[in-house]
Amino acid sequence: NYAVLNCAAAENIIIENIKVLGERKDHLSESGEWGMCISLSGAKNVNIKNCHLADAWGDGIYVGSHNGEKCEHITVQSCMIDNNRRNGVSVINCDVFRMVNCIITNTKGTAPQSGIDFEPNNEAESCKNCVVENCYFSGNANSDIMTHGTFLFEVMISNCSLNSKIGFDISNGGNLSEKRSDGYISLKNCTFDNSHRCISGYKNSLDSPLIVSDCDFFCDSICVEIGSSSFSSHYNLGNISFHNCHLLKATGQPPMRFIHKGDGMTFENVF
């Protein structure tokens, strides 16, 4: 359990032009997952810029709580985040998170193995006002970007290139009995080039919309698959819309697959 840089209940921080390396190459066991290049817990007004964050036993950057207090106003700009073991970035509890012009690659080792994982752990935590823009993802073992759980998300992804196994993964953590009544997930003007799915997940009767617009999809399988045949058929996908999207390559058939009911689903200029 470590954080090379640990910012707990701290404010007004600039972390700039440094290289932070974890010790995953020299780790003495196979257990644990809590080793971070940068850990922000209950921190406010933090700017991480032009940094190289790599080889953590856990996450390149962790953004979470400290004594129940969330992080606020976190910016990650022009960073290289590479070869971290659990996630490139974990966002657990934050209001106003912005990640721009970053490269997130080669996350692998222990689940979730995502480039960025938005994952509130309980009703007291949320990911609000979160923006990821102009970022490049590649070589992440599971997904490039994930929203995990059934709590509040406000996440906008724009102008990104997603090139790993799964581009965007919606995971309810196996619990489909709860639903979010607020929030949104937006994917706009992104290019997906993925080997398994461009968009994948278990979204069920969630009131928070998934809005996908102006995106191009390349996939070595089905481009979009939402729902799961392993769950009860009464779940409703609901509130999903695709606008001005191009399925440029999809070797799997059908190219888009939605399991269970689809009330509130909208498709416009999708071809």
Side-chain angles (χ1 to χ4, degrees):
N1 189 326
Y2 65 82
V4 180
L5 292 176
N6 186 22
C7 305
E11 299 184 16
N12 304 320
I13 299 165
I14 297 174
I15 302 170
E16 188 173 13
N17 298 323
I18 62 172
K19 185 174 185 178
V20 181
L21 298 180
E23 45 58 271
R24 68 172 299 176
K25 295 178 181 178
D26 302 310
H27 199 79
L28 298 180
S29 75
E30 295 300 319
S31 63
E33 57 183 29
W34 284 84
M36 319 303 185
C37 289
I38 299 175
S39 177
L40 309 177
S41 52
K44 295 176 174 58
N45 301 320
V46 181
N47 193 338
I48 303 170
K49 185 177 180 180
N50 294 329
C51 293
H52 183 183
L53 311 173
D55 298 341
W57 190 243
D59 306 334
I61 301 174
Y62 178 87
V63 182
S65 303
H66 179 78
N67 294 332
E69 293 295 320
K70 63 188 174 184
C71 284
E72 297 181 16
H73 296 278
I74 308 300
T75 300
V76 183
Q77 182 177 356
S78 302
C79 290
M80 166 68 79
I81 302 172
D82 181 60
N83 197 43
N84 297 291
R85 182 169 170 267
R86 186 175 71 168
N87 289 315
V89 180
S90 291
V91 183
I92 309 301
N93 192 15
C94 187
D95 190 351
V96 187
F97 172 86
R98 184 170 182 260
M99 189 166 193
V100 60
N101 296 331
C102 291
I103 299 173
I104 305 98
T105 54
N106 303 316
T107 309
K108 58 183 180 296
T110 192
Q113 303 178 111
S114 293
I116 303 177
D117 177 20
F118 294 96
E119 187 176 347
N121 291 316
N122 53 60
E123 291 183 355
E125 296 180 334
S126 61
C127 296
K128 298 175 64 177
N129 300 303
C130 297
V131 174
V132 180
E133 59 183 336
N134 297 321
C135 291
Y136 176 85
F137 299 82
S138 180
N140 300 299
N142 181 23
S143 59
D144 289 321
I145 303 174
M146 168 185 283
T147 57
H148 188 276
T150 57
F151 303 107
L152 177 61
F153 297 101
E154 295 176 353
V155 178
M156 177 177 290
I157 315 298
S158 65
N159 300 301
C160 289
S161 176
L162 303 98
N163 305 278
S164 299
K165 179 181 178 182
I166 298 172
F168 186 82
D169 187 22
I170 308 165
S171 174
N172 289 66
N175 183 0
L176 296 182
S177 63
E178 301 181 31
K179 62 181 181 179
R180 295 170 284 230
S181 59
D182 298 305
Y184 57 85
I185 299 169
S186 172
L187 302 167
K188 182 177 178 61
N189 198 32
C190 292
T191 300
F192 294 80
D193 190 355
N194 307 105
S195 61
H196 179 63
R197 298 284 190 272
C198 297
I199 299 176
S200 179
Y202 296 150
K203 187 178 190 297
N204 66 310
S205 54
L206 306 183
D207 293 330
S208 54
L210 169 65
I211 305 165
V212 184
S213 60
D214 303 298
C215 291
D216 292 336
F217 297 98
F218 300 80
C219 190
D220 294 334
S221 183
I222 297 173
C223 280
V224 178
E225 182 173 73
I226 299 178
S228 172
S229 58
S230 64
F231 296 121
S232 173
S233 61
H234 72 271
Y235 290 112
N236 187 338
L237 296 175
N239 282 328
I240 300 175
S241 62
F242 286 79
H243 303 277
N244 302 322
C245 293
H246 296 172
L247 307 172
L248 298 171
K249 185 183 78 169
T251 59
Q253 295 298 324
M256 303 178 78
R257 183 170 183 245
F258 301 91
I259 303 171
H260 309 327
K261 295 184 295 182
D263 296 343
M265 296 176 65
T266 302
F267 300 87
E268 181 182 18
N269 294 330
V270 177
F271 57 91

